[in-house]
């Protein structure tokens, strides 16, 4: 066995072609103290020793913001508009990422917020309640597109589902269950249930929350949310960003002192643009007039 | 977000501010509309390059000008750049209206747009992007934006950084190659031992 190795060594073409290859350890004299498995004594030693455990970080790592270039809202929007030029304005959105100083474990921030200027305006809402009841009128006022009971059940059974969200009044819940729509609406996530808060007494409030409401939750220490349409003016964006960050601050304040989370950085981005760290100012001296920034 | 990534993003921002296409157009230009096909066969490449390379710079320096792109599926169709001129708006107060028009929708074609005094069209088919750009600047009396000394210094820094990383990449590739050869040799030796 030992006699084979030198032959191998001589025949190896790489040995001759590559001049700079350092002398390999396995071909050094140490070769003779090999074990049967092919490992050297040194390798064995390394294997037997327990692996050093890397110290786990308890918190998400945050880079210092001291040297970061930060932008005012108008400047960031100017760049983003340039990156988004010629894109479909209905499919591209501004989005906001809020970086938190937070531990890796523990509760996450999760809530829904109603922005002053809705991002997704085309949401169709269906309300199941008696069409002549006062709550039906409220629902229509709040922006529901479909209101009724039997007519909706029939339509759904025929396969015409012309809504994106479905809410049911408590009094109509029994009728809804009798209509046995669960097999049609259930897989689409449209079946009202008290667990998700879609069977409710306060129809008007729920519908208002759904129209222009958006959900957010913390993932890996960052909260991301679509914050505006591309055609928004800086003023509208400012109101939306303020409302959103204010809501997050409220959520953070509600957590117990022991958990202690706070906002590290706010970054504005969009579908096709890089992220711009915001410095909290509305505009800088070099920003263009705010009227111009809403132009598509 | 680490520091290296941030520097790379900054390079992108510098590219938007300076370079070909960074120009301030005359203030009676109201809208620029590009119309070309999805794919590049049959002379639509220059048009796409104008959109990808120059339009962001134009938009950065002229945020008030509406710039829209419409890409058709008709590969044999025309590739045109349309410039709409209108008298410069009086300084009206900014009104917040959340009504973004759909610019890439074919229904919002240039003809049905707001009143324009004058419409000029550039044929982009089978033309190089630089040719289209010079024609556009001539038409709109664009004044090329001069980079400030700060920006030029920044550009030099970025270039140096790129050269450095190129050198480092090569060095690392050499190292990896040596490591790979060593490993191959080792495997060969091991395999020989096991076979015996």
């Amino acid at each position: 066995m030992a006699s084979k190795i030198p032959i191998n060594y001589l025949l190896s073409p790489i040995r001759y072609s590559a001049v700079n290859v350092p002398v390999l350890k396995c071909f050094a004299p140490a070769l003779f103290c090999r074990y049967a498995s092919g490992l050297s004594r040194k390798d064995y030693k390394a294997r037997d020793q327990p692996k050093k455990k890397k110290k786990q970080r308890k918190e998400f790592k945050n880079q210092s913001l001291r040297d970061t270039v930060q932008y005012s809202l108008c400047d960031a929007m100017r760049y983003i508009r340039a990156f988004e030029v010629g894109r479909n304005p209905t499919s591209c959105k501004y989005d906001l990422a809020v970086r938190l100083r937070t531990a890796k474990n523990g509760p996450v921030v999760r809530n829904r917020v109603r922005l002053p200027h809705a991002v997704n305006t085309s949401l169709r809402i269906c309300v199941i309640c008696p069409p002549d009841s006062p709550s039906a009128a409220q629902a229509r006022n709040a922006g529901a597109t479909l209101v009724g009971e039997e007519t909706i059940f029939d339509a759904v059974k025929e396969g015409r589902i012309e809504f994106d969200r479905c809410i049911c009044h408590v009094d109509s819940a029994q009728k809804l269950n009798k209509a046995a729509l669960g097999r049609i609406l259930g897989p689409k996530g449209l079946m009202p249930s008290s667990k998700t808060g879609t069977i409710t007494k306060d129809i008007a409030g729920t519908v208002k929350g759904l129209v222009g409401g958006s959900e957010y939750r913390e993932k890996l220490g960052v909260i991301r949310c679509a914050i505006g349409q591309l055609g928004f003016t800086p003023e509208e964006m400012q109101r939306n960003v303020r409302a959103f960050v204010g809501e997050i601050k409220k959520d953070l304040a509600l957590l117990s002192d022991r958990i202690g989370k706070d906002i590290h950085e706010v970054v504005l981005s969009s579908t096709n643009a890089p992220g711009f760290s915001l410095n909290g100012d509305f505009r800088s001296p070099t920003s263009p007039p705010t009227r111009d920034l809403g132009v598509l | 977000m680490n520091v290296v990534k941030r520097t790379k993003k900054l390079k992108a921002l510098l590219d938007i501010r300076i370079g070909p296409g960074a120009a301030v157009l005359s203030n009676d230009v109201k809208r620029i509309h590009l119309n070309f096909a999805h794919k590049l066969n049959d002379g639509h490449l220059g048009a796409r390059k104008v959109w990808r390379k120059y339009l962001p710079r134009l938009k950065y320096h002229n945020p008030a000008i509406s710039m829209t792109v419409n890409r058709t599926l008709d590969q044999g169709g025309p590739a045109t750049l349309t410039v709409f001129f209108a008298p410069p708006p009086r300084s009206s107060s900014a009104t917040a209206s959340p009504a973004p028009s759909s610019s890439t929708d074919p229904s919002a074609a240039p003809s049905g747009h707001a009143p324009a005094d004058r419409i000029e069209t550039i044929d982009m088919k089978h033309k190089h992007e630089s040719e289209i750009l010079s024609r556009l600047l001539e038409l709109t009396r664009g004044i090329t934006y001069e980079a400030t000394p700060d920006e030029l210094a920044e550009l030099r820094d970025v270039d140096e950084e790129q050269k450095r990383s190129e050198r480092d990449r090569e060095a690392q590739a050499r190292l990896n190659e040596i490591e790979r050869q060593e490993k191959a040799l080792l495997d060969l030796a091991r395999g020989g031992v096991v076979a015996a």
Side-chain angles (χ1 to χ4, degrees), chain B residues 95-106:
Chain B
T95 46
S97 58
S101 64
S102 56
S103 64
T104 50
D105 190 17

Side-chain angles (χ1 to χ4, degrees), chain A residues 4 37 46 51-52 182 265:
Chain A
K4 283 242 166 163
S37 64
K51 263 188 189 160
K52 224 183 220 177
E265 189 184 10

Side-chain angles (χ1 to χ4, degrees), chain B residues 23-184:
Chain B
V24 182
L25 307 184
S26 80
N27 61 357
D28 60 348
V29 179
K30 195 165 186 305
R31 179 172 178 221
I32 296 174
H33 182 82
L34 272 67
N35 193 14
F36 55 94
H38 260 277
K39 294 189 179 169
L40 51 81
N41 336 343
D42 205 10
H44 290 273
L45 177 61
R48 181 152 89 197
K49 291 271 185 185
V50 168
W51 170 41
R52 291 297 213 187
K53 284 166 78 177
Y54 302 146
L55 215 54
R57 289 191 193 122
L58 281 170
K59 181 70 181 168
Y60 180 80
H61 288 284
N62 310 280
I65 298 175
S66 167
M67 295 180 191
T68 52
V69 172
N70 182 28
R71 298 170 77 194
T72 56
L73 289 171
D74 175 24
Q75 202 63 45
T80 55
L81 189 154
T82 322
V83 188
F84 296 78
F85 294 92
R90 318 261 186 278
S91 55
S92 57
S93 62
T95 46
S97 58
S101 64
S102 56
S103 64
T104 50
D105 190 17
S107 64
S111 56
H113 199 254
D117 283 358
R118 191 155 63 88
I119 298 173
E120 297 276 354
T121 307
I122 301 173
D123 181 24
M124 296 193 289
K125 218 163 180 183
H126 295 291
K127 278 197 185 132
H128 193 259
E129 58 266 25
S130 56
E131 199 184 331
I132 300 167
L133 180 72
S134 59
R135 180 86 189 81
L136 174 68
L137 291 184
E138 190 185 308
L139 199 66
T140 55
R141 301 192 301 284
I143 300 157
T144 310
Y145 171 78
E146 295 294 336
T148 61
D150 282 355
E151 282 168 341
L152 288 177
E154 206 177 317
L155 195 65
R156 266 198 300 280
D157 282 354
V158 171
D159 282 347
E160 268 168 33
E161 172 75 41
Q162 256 180 350
K163 270 181 207 137
R164 205 158 44 235
S165 54
E166 184 68 29
R167 214 169 50 225
D168 290 353
R169 233 187 332 268
E170 272 167 19
Q172 188 59 42
R174 273 200 301 277
L175 260 173
N176 284 346
E177 179 64 14
I178 288 172
E179 215 164 72
R180 197 186 57 76
Q181 283 181 357
E182 203 170 308
K183 192 171 176 297

Side-chain angles (χ1 to χ4, degrees), chain A residues 144-159:
Chain A
T145 45
L146 275 176
V147 181
E149 275 179 340
E150 301 298 333
T151 47
I152 293 176
F153 297 157
D154 291 343
V156 169
K157 273 178 197 162
E158 282 168 25

